[in-house]
Every structure is written in C-alpha cells, then in structure tokens.
C-alpha cells in the first residue's frame, strides 16, 4: 500500500461526512412531513433539504466511496502501486470543489430542483457545474483504473485479472457509458438554460437523457458492495468463493443489462411509446438474473464456510457461520434488505403494474432498502474491514460495530415497511406538509410517525458508525493482517480465464448494440417530431 | 488486450450474442406486434393504426379510441408566450425610455407610483408581468377606464420595450408606514399556504427563487390598498385575466381579513 | 482437486435457468394483463405547445372538466398548472369506460388516483391520456405526485366517482362537481 | 481469518455444498415470485384496467 492509503482515507472521510449530513437532513424531512410540527419548515427549506439529501447520498457519498475503495482494490488486489497518483489527487480536489460548490448553492436556496433535476425548473448554474466537477473527477478515476488493469495485464500476460479489480474496472466502464446521458443533458440543455443562453427546453428529451443515467448509476453505487460480497465475505467467513468464473459473469451481466433499461423510470411518461417501454421492461427483467446469481453464489460460498465450521443438514450451515464478525453479519442483513427491496423492484418494473406505485412511498421504500440498506450497510462493512489497513491499528470493539449494523438494519425496516402500505394507499412523494385534515391523508399520520422513529434509529446508527471509525485512532494494538489477506480465493482459483471474461472489448460492443436498439428511436424521436419546448422557470432569480 | 483469441472463448461470445438477440426478438414480437394488434381489435382499430400508436408514431393508445374535441378557444388572456418574447423582455432598450414618459403621470418617471393607493409600482417589477397586463388591457381581457385606453395604440414591440424598461429600474425603498404587523397566521399563508383549503404558499409563485409561473408579478413594494383591491377583484371574478383561474381559485378561498392581512404583509416587506 | 469445476459451473447455470424461469413467469403475467385486460402504461405521443396551451380549443378554460361527446365517449380534461388542477374536482361515472386527458402550461406534474391504477406523468409539450373504468364509487384523491415547484405539496384535486345512474350531463354534455 | 481450509476438509464439504445454498435461494426466489403474484392478483388487477 503506497499511494492508496491516504487516497482511500481522504475519499472515504469525504463520503462519510456527506453521509452524516444527509442523514440529519433525512430525519428532519421525515419530521417535517409527519403530523408533528417541525422547526424551520417552509416549502423552500424542505425542498432544498431534499435536494441536499439526494445530492449528498447519490452523488457525493457514492462517488467518493467508489473512488476510494477503487484505489484500495487497485493497489491491494493487483499488488502494485497506483499509476499517476498525482492525477488521483487532482480528481479528489475536483470532486471536493464540485461538492462544495453544489452544497453552497443549495444552502443559499438557489437549487431547489432536487438531485434528479426537473427541467424546465432551472437552478443556479453553480449547482450543475458542481455536479459536473464531481462527474469529471470520477472520469479521471475511471481512466486510472483502466490504466492500472492494462499495466497489470501487460506484466502478467495470459493470467486472469484478480476478480476484485475486474469488477472495479467493469464498474468504471459502465460508469463511462452511463454518464453520457446526464452529461449530454447538462451540457446541451440544462447548463445553457441556467446561463440564460436559452429561454426554453425540450423536457421530453431531457427526461429521456437522464433516464439513460438514472438506472446504471444505481449499479455504479451497488458494485462496491458486490465486490465485498464476492471477494471479502467468503474470506471473512473462513470459506472459499464458490465460483470465480460466475463472479466475473455476474459483473459482466451488470455492465450489459443495467444500461439499456432506463426507460423503466419513465413508464408513466406520455412521451415514450408502449413498444419501447415493453422492450426495456423485458431487458430490466434480465437485470434481476445477476442479482439472483449472486444470492446463489454467495450463499454457496457461505455454505462452504458454515459446513467447514461443522454446520449439518440443509440449513445447519447458516447457524454455524461466524455471525460475530461484522463482515458476515453485514452480509446477512444486506441480503435480507435486498430481498425486501428486490420484491419492491419487481413490482416497480412490471410494465402496467408500475401505475399502481409510481411516485408513491412504495418506490421510496424500494430504493431506501436497496441503496440505503444493502449498499450502505456493505459500505459500513467495507470501511470496518479496511480501516485497520488504513490506520495501522486493529479494530477496537467488534461489539460496537455489530450494534451499529443491527441498528441500521432495524432502523431501515421500521422506516421502510410502513412506506410500502402507505405507497399502496396512494401517499405521493416529495411533500413538505400533508393536509392531515383530509380523511384519506389523516389515516396515514400514525404510519408516518412510525417511519420517523425508524429514521431516528438510523441517525443513531449513522453517528455510532462515525464514532466507531474515530475510535480506531485511539486504539493501541497494531493491525495484524497484511492488506492482501482480505481477498478470498476461489474453490478453483482460475488458472486460465477466457479472454472474454478478462477484458471488456466484446462487452463494450454488445453494450453499444443494446444501447442503439433500446435507446436509438426513443432519443431520435425528439429530433424527428419537433416536440414543443417549455419555458425555463428559474428557481435562483429574484422574482 | 494481449490475449490471443482462445478457442474456448468462442462459446462465451456465441452464447452472449444469442441470449441478447433472443430477448430482442421476444420483446419486438410481443411489444411491437402482438400486444398492439390484439388490443387494437378490442377497440375497433385496424392493425396498422394500433401498431403505429404502440410505436409512438401516432398519438393515442393502441387499446382505445382517441377522443376528439371541436371546442372553440375562449381564452381568459390572449398573450402567447415564446422564447423570443422572453429574451426580448430581458433586454431594456432606448425606445422604452421615450415611451415611458407617457406613463409618468401615474406610474412615475422611474416606475415609482405617484400614488401607491391607486397605481402599482412598476420599478423592478417582472418584465413578463408588466407585459402580460399591458397585453390584456390592449386585448380587453382586463378592463380599466384609464389603462385600456392607454394600451390600445401600443404595438407588440412597444409593449415589450416598455415592460423591459420599467423592469430595469431598482425597486423603491419601503416608505415607513405605521401598519400593525400582519401576524403569524398571515406569515404562515405566505410561507406555507393552507393545505386544508388547497391554497399554495403565496411565495410558491410570488417569492424570490420560487420558479413559479413566468407572469407571476413581484408583490413587495406595492401599496396596501392596491394589493387588497386586486385580491378582491380576483375573488369577485371582476378581474379574470389570470391563466387557468390560478388567482381566482386562491382568492375565492381567502377571507376578507386574510386579504387585508396579506396586502399589509407584502406592502411592508423588504424582500421575500 | 477432486471437486469437478464443471459441477460448479453446471449448478450455477441450472440456477441461472431457474432465475430466468421465474422472471419469465412475471413477463408472461405482464403479457396476460396486456392481452386479456388491455393494460398498458399511459403512453400518448400527442404534442401540444405548453406556452400557448391556454389559447387552444380543447384545453380552453370552459372546455375543462368532464364532457360526454356526441358518440357517448366520456372524456375529462384537466389542466395541471403551478399549483392547482383546473378544475379541482371532476365527476366520472362508475363501471363505464372513461378517458382522462391532462396537459400542463408550465412545468412537469403528475397524477395518481388513490385506490386505482390511474397514474401518469404530465410533461410540458405532450397531452397525457389514461383510459380506464372506475369500479369503486366515492371521492378519490388525485394529488400532483411530481415535484413542480414550491407549491407542490398543496396541489391536489378530487375525482368523484358516482354510480352510473347519478351521472347526468347537462345540455352541452358537461358534468361538474358543484352542479350535482 | 485463520489459514485457509485444508484440501481434505474442502473436498468433504464440497460433496454437499450447493444443495443448501440452492435450497435457500430457491426458497427466497419462490417467496418473491409468490409475493409478486399475490400483489398482482389481489391488489393490481382489482384496481381496474388502465390502457
């Protein structure tokens, strides 16, 4: 570990600071929309808070976590120093500058457009430029990962790239593909409007371009957690990875199927046709295959560990697993939340059935369970696993780490379970104050308070997490393991992997074919039928 | 990449392409052909029409007849917004200044009303708001003995120049007025509206950084009596040039006390 | 190593086949809903200029709300604007096919009707359209469920579903909430 | 994270392995599909046809 130690440390701290701020805002928002009167509540403060909550979690926490963990993997899995560390620090600086620019713009109330932008509502140009800087930083990271893998492959001709690095580069390739959508929307539509160069916008086109990014971005967040599932959990449980080849295939399937499916975010939009919605729903159905493969492969890997520790019978191995180890506990909780969140996702994606839940709390429950639950709890587990390497000290208290993970799981369930019923009852999204005088809405009040309690538990867990990380600094015993020891070995360490599973040339070609077929006409239609444009509505100017 | 094409790779390439193309064939068969045709038959649509509708080449659902409407337009205002108009309104011009002399008698040379009880301040007002009211006076969507006559001879360009001109002035400083503070209920209406009556916060449209409708005027720095008179005109629908009765539906839900309270609030508020 | 690598890959592929099987059941159910119940998402590629929506015939203020056409087709036209629906209350008959048509003169809105599958985004530049049959009577809530500005939380309307017998259009075929 | 499992232990374990994970995965996937079908028939279809 040469350059990556400080890089990963810096990136992860920026991620977890943004995370803590977002957590506090999230709980305040739950309080604001509950029947209990909340302080500082106006429409402007609420929607600025929702923008900050979304930006901090979806853009800052995730991008910095992916970059930081990527540097760690690049150096420990490839066992060679990072190429061009100077560029890594330049990217870090760009990312932090962009984050500050966006946060300051939101705090001055000039960016109440939510993190998914709602053109023709247009915020101050500095909010968008901030996000462009964060994305630019992540692009530099992608190039560094590709160079690192290229150098390693030249130094080890014919040998398979370590799975952790292969997955990290798959994530980088997917991210380069998917940011094309939001970058096009920002550079050609939103920023020109924010600069006052254009007074109207094609809203159908901007929503379609954003949908190009909006689905694969969740896999950009998810893949570090899946890297932990495949490479750290089997080792932590004392077993072996069941199949390395299938692990590679899963990450390739994510790259392939997370991109041409964005229209399932626009199923209820008038400007996209039934036919292309159906096509992308069929492709979305295939996205659940790699996840189900992962459930089986990691299940088998844990079964090896459980049986090695004396687990008997069909399910005896589950009880025999070392649940006292945070990485193993986090994985169990993560899969439970993935199951619940995945169930919500199956309903969301089902073509006409989406009408039942679109823009209701059901969808909010879905992505809080999968992103807020599965992904973030594995971010905790990854942090706990690599902090000894970064600080050179052994973990002070596993009990506190386990408590924190349990609190996060319980808080997430208490918060999101009521949202499922509320969503089916019709509770719609992004509401600052509900009209609890209306009989239909009044019935929701108690449930909103229950989910507020869940939010408070999550806040307690988040603060405990930061405390656990800080406690490493006062711990005394030096860290025992070497960094490379974290990665699992497969039952059959792959001596030879087919070229297709060692590089991305074939998969890039297939992604191109998929994107042209799935997004070709849906994007071209805005240039074929001259769709009328909407006047820009600025949220940053004096009336 | 340095890997030479290994024979073992061929099955992976083969299987990957076959899997993807078969999904496409399935989706195209059902999504583009079978579903629309069978649904169309139920709604009496021929196969070609329903497939075009499913593909998004023709409007309408493949499963239902497309309703038509022969209603004639009876708009409450004839203003036609466009990007060009918005850009023109953002550029003050010399022509506006010369024309503005005709308005000085009531609105003041620099847009500061000579009598805030009767005539609104135009200094620093939104150019789109001034333009729309001028346009409505000229077209008759809004009637006022003085303003209808003043607006009649104006051309489109003159109205744009005048609006841009007055909008370019800084807002007038608030004259010290001994008005009682409007109270917490009024401030709640301004900041949070009243969900029970479906009244959005006034500042959702009229506040700074609100992103509300383009023609929503700034309310601060206006005379209390003038604001109250306009709200009452909307409440009685005597004034009805608001697009899709936005202001009429809000004013109808306000009590007289609230109308006076809101007028007082905005007339003594520096910036909101 | 005696453990056959092919055994592992075969078990994974068997599991992959089961996963695809499960997902295919879901796709078949979707196709069943499409073929038998004619269920589609609310797509409608019908462009209309938001900037001059108030000057159009169909979405002119007097033409909004529920109207029964000469051929008996029941259509309700609603404009979603910052921060109200026009009209704020519409009447529709139960157990008869109805069409709801939405348009916006300014920003993105969206609607859902509680307890039903009626749900659509309302995007400036397009007319949103939902064909449905209401089975339950009563006052259903129709909020704007997409962020449209600071007044989004207060933007809501009512859909009053009445038994077919109580649905009596006036001379021009219109039916409004307060008239009943 | 003691030293890895010995080859004999691994061989003994691998004779049984994917059965437990297969059963667990099949159970959860079955539950998911059953849940989806329940929501489909009991909530979605009764809410009315929309096209």
């Amino acid at each position: 570990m040469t350059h990556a130690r400080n890089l990963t440390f810096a990136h992860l701290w920026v991620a977890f600071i943004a995370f803590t701020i977002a957590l506090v805002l999230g709980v305040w928002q739950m309080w604001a929309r509950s029947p209990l009167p909340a302080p500082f509540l106006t429409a402007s403060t609420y929607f600025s808070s929702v923008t900050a909550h979304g930006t901090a979690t979806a853009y800052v926490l995730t991008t910095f976590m992916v970059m930081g963990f990527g540097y760690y993997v690049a150096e420990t899995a490839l066992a060679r120093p990072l190429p061009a560390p100077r560029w890594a620090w330049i990217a870090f600086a760009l990312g932090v500058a962009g984050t500050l620019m966006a946060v300051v713009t939101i705090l001055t109330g000039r960016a109440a457009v939510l993190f998914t932008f709602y053109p023709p509502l247009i915020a101050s140009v500095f909010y968008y430029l901030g996000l462009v800087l964060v994305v630019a930083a992540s692009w530099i990271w992608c190039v560094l990962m590709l160079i690192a893998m290229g150098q390693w492959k030249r130094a080890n001709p014919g040998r398979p790239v370590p799975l952790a690095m292969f997955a990290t580069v798959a994530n980088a390739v997917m991210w380069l593909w998917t940011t094309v959508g939001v970058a096009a929307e920002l550079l050609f539509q939103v920023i020109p409007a924010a600069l006052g160069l254009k007074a109207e916008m094609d809203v159908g086109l901007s929503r379609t371009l954003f949908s190009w990014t909006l689905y694969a971005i969740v896999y950009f967040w998810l893949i570090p957690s899946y890297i932990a599932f495949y490479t750290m959990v089997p080792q932590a449980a004392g077993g072996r990875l069941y199949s390395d080849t299938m692990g590679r295939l899963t990450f390739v399937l994510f790259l392939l199927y997370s991109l041409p499916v964005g229209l399932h975010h626009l199923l209820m939009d008038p400007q996209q046709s039934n036919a292309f919605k159906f096509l992308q729903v069929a492709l979305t159905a295939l996205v659940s295959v790699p996840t189900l493969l992962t459930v089986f492969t990691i299940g088998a890997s844990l079964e090896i560990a459980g049986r090695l520790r004396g687990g008997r019978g069909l399910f005896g191995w589950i009880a025999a697993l070392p649940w006292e180890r945070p990485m193993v506990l986090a994985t169990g909780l993560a899969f439970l939340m993935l199951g619940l969140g995945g169930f919500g996702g199956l309903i969301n994606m089902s073509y006409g059935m989406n009408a039942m839940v679109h823009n209701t709390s059901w969808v909010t429950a879905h992505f809080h369970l999968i992103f807020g639950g599965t992904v973030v709890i594995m971010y905790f587990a990854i942090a706990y696993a690599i902090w000894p390497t970064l600080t050179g000290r052994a973990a002070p208290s596993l009990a506190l780490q386990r408590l924190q993970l349990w609190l996060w799981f319980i808080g997430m369930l208490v918060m999101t379970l009521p949202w499922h019923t509320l969503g089916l009852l019709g509770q719609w999204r992004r509401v600052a104050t509900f009209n609890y005088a209306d009989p239909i809405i009044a019935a929701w009040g108690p449930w909103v308070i229950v989910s507020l309690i869940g939010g408070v538990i999550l806040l307690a867990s988040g603060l405990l997490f930061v405390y656990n990380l800080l406690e490493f600094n006062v711990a005394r015993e030096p860290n025992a393991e070497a960094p490379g020891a974290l990665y699992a070995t497969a039952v059959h360490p792959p001596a030879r992997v087919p070229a297709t599973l060692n590089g991305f040339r074939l998969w890039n070609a297939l992604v191109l074919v998929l994107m042209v077929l799935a997004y070709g006409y849906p994007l071209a239609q805005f240039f074929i039928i001259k769709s009328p444009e909407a006047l820009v509505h600025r949220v940053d100017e004096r009336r | 990449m340095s890997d030479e094409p290994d024979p073992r790779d061929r099955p992976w390439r083969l299987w990957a392409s076959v899997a993807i193309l078969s999904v496409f064939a399935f989706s195209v068969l059902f999504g583009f052909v079978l579903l629309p045709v069978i649904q169309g038959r139920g709604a009496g649509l021929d196969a070609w029409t329903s497939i075009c509708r499913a593909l998004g080449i023709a409007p309408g659902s493949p499963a239902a007849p497309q309703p038509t409407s022969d209603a004639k337009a009876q708009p409450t205002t004839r203003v036609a917004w466009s990007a060009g108009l918005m850009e023109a309104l953002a550029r003050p011009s010399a022509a506006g200044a010369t024309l503005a002399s005709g308005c000085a008698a009531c609105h003041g040379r620099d847009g500061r009303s000579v009598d805030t009880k009767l005539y609104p301040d135009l200094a620093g007002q939104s150019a789109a708001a001034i333009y729309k009211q001028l346009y409505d006076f000229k077209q008759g969507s809004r009637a006022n003995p003085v303003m209808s006559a003043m607006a009649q001879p104006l051309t489109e360009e003159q109205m744009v120049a005048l609006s841009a001109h007055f909008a370019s002035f800084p807002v007038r400083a608030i004259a010290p007025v001994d008005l009682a503070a409007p109270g917490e209920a009024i401030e709640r209406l301004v900041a949070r509206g009243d969900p029970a009556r479906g009244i959005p916060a006034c500042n959702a449209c009229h506040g700074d950084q609100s992103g509300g409708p383009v023609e929503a005027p700034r309310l601060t720095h206006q005379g209390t009596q003038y604001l109250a008179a306009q709200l009452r005109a909307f409440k009685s629908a005597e004034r009805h040039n608001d697009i899709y009765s936005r202001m009429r539906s809000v004013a109808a839900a306000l009590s007289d006390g609230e109308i006076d309270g809101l007028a007082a609030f905005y007339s003594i508020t520096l910036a909101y | 190593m005696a453990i056959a690598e092919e055994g592992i890959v075969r078990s994974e592929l068997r599991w992959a086949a089961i996963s695809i099987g499960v997902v295919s059941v879901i796709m078949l159910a979707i196709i069943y809903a499409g073929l038998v119940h004619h269920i589609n998402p609310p797509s409608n590629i019908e462009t209309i200029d938001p900037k001059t929506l108030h000057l159009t015939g169909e979405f002119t203020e007097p033409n909004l709300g529920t109207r029964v056409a000469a051929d008996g087709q029941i259509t309700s036209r609603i404009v979603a604007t910052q921060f109200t629906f026009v009209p704020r209350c519409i009447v529709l008959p139960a157990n008869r096919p109805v069409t709801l048509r939405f348009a916006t003169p300014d920003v993105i809105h969206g609607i859902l009707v509680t307890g039903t599958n009626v749900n659509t985004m309302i995007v400036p530049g397009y007319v949103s359209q939902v064909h449905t049959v209401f089975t339950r009577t009563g006052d259903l809530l129709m909020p704007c469920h997409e962020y449209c500005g600071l007044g989004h939380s207060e933007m809501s309307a009512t859909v009053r579903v009445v038994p077919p017998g109580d649905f009596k259009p006036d001379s021009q075929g219109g039916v409004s909430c307060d008239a009943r | 994270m003691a030293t890895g499992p010995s080859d004999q232990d691994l061989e003994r374990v691998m004779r049984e392995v994917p059965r437990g994970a297969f059963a667990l995965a099949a159970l959860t996937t079955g539950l998911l599909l059953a849940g989806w079908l329940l929501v489909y028939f009991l909530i979605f279809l009764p809410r009315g046809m929309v096209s």
Side-chain angles (χ1 to χ4, degrees):
Chain A
M1 280 275 283
T2 47
H3 312 294
R5 181 192 310 280
N6 298 336
L7 271 170
T8 306
F9 210 69
H11 280 81
L12 264 58
W13 268 119
V14 168
F16 296 138
I17 290 166
F19 164 70
T20 313
I21 295 169
L23 210 52
V24 173
L25 292 176
V27 176
W28 176 77
Q29 284 162 212
M30 302 281 298
W31 185 6
R33 61 203 291 269
S34 74
L36 314 173
F40 317 116
L41 175 56
T42 68
S44 177
T45 55
Y46 183 82
F47 292 117
S48 295
S49 167
V50 176
T51 309
H53 181 75
T55 304
T57 48
Y59 295 138
V60 180
L61 161 67
T62 47
T63 307
F64 280 88
M65 181 70 190
V66 167
M67 289 163 73
F69 185 52
Y71 292 133
Y72 178 88
V73 166
E75 284 216 338
T76 53
L78 300 183
R80 43 185 291 125
L82 200 63
R86 200 164 46 78
W87 275 101
W89 284 108
I90 290 171
F92 176 70
L94 272 179
V96 170
T99 304
L100 291 178
M101 192 191 282
V103 166
V104 165
T105 316
I106 297 170
L107 291 181
T108 55
R110 305 163 75 85
V113 289
L114 306 189
F115 82 100
T116 41
F117 332 134
Y118 286 92
L121 288 174
I122 291 291
S124 155
V125 72
F126 294 108
Y127 174 63
Y128 304 114
L129 289 179
L131 300 183
V132 166
L133 288 181
V134 172
V135 172
S138 66
W139 282 348
I140 295 174
W141 171 77
C142 291
V143 171
L144 289 178
M145 290 299 117
L146 287 168
I147 294 171
M149 185 168 99
Q151 286 178 350
W152 186 87
K153 286 182 83 167
R154 271 189 296 284
N156 305 276
R159 282 189 50 226
V161 176
L163 178 58
M165 192 57 191
F166 180 79
T168 303
V169 174
N171 202 14
V173 168
M174 183 187 64
W175 181 240
L176 288 172
W177 271 106
T178 197
T179 41
V180 167
V182 70
E185 182 195 3
L186 283 177
L187 299 183
F188 297 116
Q189 291 192 292
V190 171
I191 290 181
L195 289 172
L197 306 175
K198 279 167 55 179
E200 56 182 0
M201 294 179 68
D202 185 335
V203 175
L205 175 60
S206 67
R207 279 178 73 77
T208 308
L209 281 174
F210 194 77
S211 80
W212 170 305
T213 300
L214 189 54
Y215 192 67
I217 193 172
V218 305
Y219 282 87
F220 176 64
W221 309 336
L222 195 75
I223 285 190
S225 303
Y226 273 64
I227 292 173
F229 285 151
Y230 274 95
T231 62
M232 298 168 115
V233 168
Q235 184 73 1
R240 286 285 189 83
L241 173 59
Y242 181 63
S243 163
D244 178 278
T245 320
M246 274 302 152
R248 286 166 202 275
L249 186 68
T250 302
F251 287 107
V252 161
L253 286 177
F254 276 140
L255 165 62
L256 278 179
Y257 290 126
S258 64
L259 281 156
V261 294
L263 279 195
H264 66 236
H265 287 278
L266 304 181
L267 286 180
M268 293 296 118
D269 274 50
Q271 79 276 7
Q272 287 298 346
S273 65
N274 283 338
F276 282 95
K277 285 180 184 176
F278 184 85
L279 171 64
Q280 296 213 8
V281 161
L283 287 171
T284 309
L286 287 178
V287 165
S288 52
V289 171
T291 299
L292 292 172
L293 270 176
T294 303
V295 167
F296 175 69
T297 308
I298 301 308
S301 310
L302 288 175
E303 186 181 354
I304 296 171
R307 293 204 188 289
L308 285 174
R309 296 166 62 87
R312 284 274 166 279
L314 207 54
F315 297 120
W317 53 275
I318 298 176
L321 281 167
W323 294 108
E324 74 284 356
R325 296 179 189 161
M327 181 62 82
V328 176
L329 174 63
T331 304
L333 301 178
F335 273 114
L336 286 174
M337 290 189 278
L338 185 64
L340 264 173
F343 171 66
L346 284 176
I347 305 280
N348 296 342
M349 76 147 200
S350 298
Y351 199 49
M353 205 172 188
N354 184 247
M356 189 173 65
V357 289
H358 173 66
N359 259 355
T360 68
S361 299
W362 178 281
V363 174
T364 319
H366 163 66
F367 63 74
H368 277 81
L369 270 168
I370 294 195
F371 173 42
T374 303
V375 169
V376 167
I377 207 167
M378 288 314 289
Y379 283 2
F380 297 150
I382 290 171
Y384 288 147
I386 66 176
W387 228 250
T389 319
L390 299 181
T391 58
R393 289 189 182 78
S397 152
L398 293 186
L400 273 183
Q401 289 183 0
R402 285 196 301 273
L403 171 66
Q404 190 266 326
L405 295 173
W406 273 108
L407 276 179
W408 190 258
F409 174 70
I410 292 160
M412 191 54 76
L413 288 190
V414 170
M415 180 170 82
T416 55
L417 287 183
W419 281 353
H420 285 94
T421 43
L422 287 174
L424 289 176
L425 294 175
Q427 183 183 54
W428 65 102
R429 293 179 63 186
R430 301 170 184 113
V431 178
T433 46
F434 277 111
N435 170 21
Y436 286 107
D438 180 303
I440 295 180
I441 299 172
W444 302 342
W447 291 106
V448 176
I449 292 174
V450 167
S451 47
L452 168 62
I453 294 164
V456 170
I457 299 171
L458 288 174
L459 178 61
S461 172
L463 297 177
L464 179 56
F465 170 66
V466 174
Y467 172 79
N468 283 346
L469 292 187
L470 291 174
E471 231 204 337
F472 271 85
N473 301 338
V474 303
R476 273 161 309 286
E477 301 85 13
N479 167 29
E481 305 116 16
L486 279 178
Y487 296 111
T489 50
V491 173
H492 286 285
R496 190 55 206 83
V497 164
T500 45
L501 285 180
N502 213 30
F504 295 95
R505 201 175 306 126
L506 167 72
W507 309 119
N508 278 328
L510 281 175
V511 166
L512 182 65
V513 167
L514 280 168
M515 291 309 272
V516 166
L517 288 174
Y519 262 102
Y521 180 72
L523 278 172
Q525 71 172 359
F526 298 106
F527 303 97
I528 297 168
I529 49 170
K530 289 281 165 289
S531 44
E533 305 203 351
L535 286 180
V536 165
H537 286 61
R538 304 189 66 96
V539 296
D540 68 331
E541 247 173 23
R542 308 196 66 73
R543 169 48 58 197
Chain B
M1 309 293 175
S2 62
D3 305 286
E4 72 301 338
D6 172 329
R8 266 182 24 179
D9 288 351
R10 243 175 39 66
W12 285 106
R13 256 196 288 280
L14 188 67
W15 276 111
S17 320
V18 162
I20 288 166
L21 293 181
S22 59
V23 168
F24 265 103
F26 162 83
S27 315
V28 167
L29 174 67
F30 277 96
F32 288 52
V33 179
L34 282 181
L35 274 166
V37 167
I38 290 169
Q39 289 178 353
R41 202 172 295 139
L45 300 169
D46 63 281
W48 176 248
T49 321
S50 48
I51 289 180
C52 285
R53 291 187 179 189
L55 279 174
I57 304 168
S61 155
Q66 184 73 346
T68 55
S69 163
D70 49 12
K72 282 173 302 308
Q74 299 153 16
T76 55
T77 169
R78 297 199 168 286
V79 69
W81 295 115
S82 68
L85 172 60
M86 298 307 287
E87 279 143 10
L89 284 169
R91 285 193 307 271
S93 65
T98 49
L99 280 166
S101 54
C103 318
C106 307
H107 291 296
R109 214 170 31 75
D110 46 12
R112 293 205 174 89
S113 163
V114 295
D115 178 352
T116 57
K117 284 196 295 301
L118 296 171
Y119 318 120
D121 256 10
L122 299 182
Q125 179 57 274
S126 139
I130 301 175
Y131 173 81
K132 180 182 182 297
Q133 299 311 321
L134 263 180
Y135 198 94
D136 288 349
F137 281 126
K138 177 185 170 75
Q139 292 293 336
S141 313
R142 182 178 174 189
N144 176 290
V146 175
M147 276 311 293
S148 299
M150 296 293 280
Q152 205 57 41
L154 294 176
T155 67
E156 173 79 14
E157 294 70 25
Q158 288 174 328
M159 284 193 278
V160 168
L162 266 172
S163 310
H165 172 70
F166 281 115
S168 62
F169 284 102
V171 179
R172 165 217 292 266
I174 292 279
V177 168
D178 50 11
L179 271 173
E184 203 271 339
I186 294 299
E187 270 159 31
R188 174 190 299 276
L189 263 182
V190 170
R192 292 174 54 181
D194 178 2
R197 291 178 278 175
I199 302 175
C202 304
N203 278 333
C205 296
H206 294 289
D208 288 340
Q209 299 157 2
S210 70
V214 291
E215 74 270 19
R218 154 198 291 283
L219 299 180
T220 53
H221 306 82
Q222 294 297 351
T224 312
Q225 290 77 2
Y226 178 77
L227 287 173
Q230 297 312 316
L231 266 176
R232 288 204 167 78
F234 277 126
K235 181 166 184 171
S236 64
E238 175 211 339
R239 177 175 171 185
H240 47 267
N241 67 327
D242 50 332
I243 296 182
Y244 288 121
S245 66
R246 289 195 192 104
M247 271 314 294
R248 276 170 279 163
S249 57
V250 167
L254 291 175
S255 70
D256 269 346
E258 284 169 337
I259 286 180
D260 294 329
L262 286 169
F265 176 86
Y266 274 106
S267 60
I268 59 168
T269 306
L270 286 176
Y272 212 86
Chain C
M1 199 56 104
I3 308 142
E5 190 174 352
E6 291 70 25
I8 291 180
V9 174
R10 211 177 318 106
S11 70
E12 293 266 2
L13 291 180
R14 197 169 349 113
W15 174 248
I18 289 176
S19 310
I20 289 173
V22 163
V23 157
S24 312
V25 168
I26 290 178
M27 285 308 293
L28 288 178
I30 290 172
I31 289 169
Y32 167 82
L35 292 180
V36 174
H37 298 293
H38 293 194
I39 292 181
N40 287 324
S43 294
N44 182 35
I45 321 290
E46 183 181 350
T47 57
I48 189 164
D49 191 341
K51 305 187 284 300
T52 54
L53 184 68
H54 56 282
L55 301 177
T56 61
E58 179 176 11
F59 287 98
T60 185
E61 214 168 304
N63 190 41
L64 298 178
T66 305
R67 190 165 296 283
V68 182
D71 59 8
Q73 192 170 14
I74 302 165
T75 309
S76 196
R77 295 175 180 84
I78 298 128
V79 165
T81 177
Q82 282 176 316
F83 298 105
T84 179
F85 287 103
V86 184
R88 281 170 53 81
C89 173
I90 57 171
V91 180
L92 286 168
N95 309 322
R96 287 178 58 189
V98 296
T99 303
L100 293 124
R101 282 169 65 81
F102 300 90
T104 167
D106 38 51
V107 297
I108 300 171
H109 299 277
I111 58 100
L112 64 85
V113 178
T114 50
T116 73
N117 284 332
V118 173
N119 192 321
T120 182
M121 296 303 296
I122 305 168
V123 174
Y126 298 86
V127 176
S128 298
Q129 185 169 244
V130 179
H131 307 280
T132 188
V133 176
F134 286 102
T135 47
R136 295 185 7 208
T137 57
D139 278 8
L140 306 175
L141 200 58
M142 183 166 82
C144 168
H145 64 37
E146 188 53 86
Y147 180 66
C148 53
L150 298 181
H152 164 67
S153 311
E154 285 75 39
M155 193 171 157
S156 187
T158 307
V159 175
R160 178 162 299 159
V161 184
V162 298
D166 298 355
F167 181 72
K168 287 187 279 298
D170 59 27
S171 53
Q172 289 95 15
V175 186
S176 64
C177 273
D178 34 50
R180 260 192 66 292
Chain D
M1 287 46 153
T3 59
S6 67
D7 289 350
Q8 295 77 12
D9 293 344
L10 200 54
E11 235 166 85
R12 169 176 57 80
V13 156
M14 284 305 286
R15 271 192 289 279
E16 290 176 70
V17 164
R19 268 215 309 287
F22 192 89
L24 184 66
L27 188 71
T28 45
T29 313
L31 274 176
L32 282 177
L33 183 60
W36 189 90
L37 290 170
L38 275 176
V39 171
Y40 179 78
F41 285 111
L42 298 185
I43 304 175
F44 173 58
L45 290 184
R47 283 194 169 198
M49 306 316 146
V50 169
S51 57

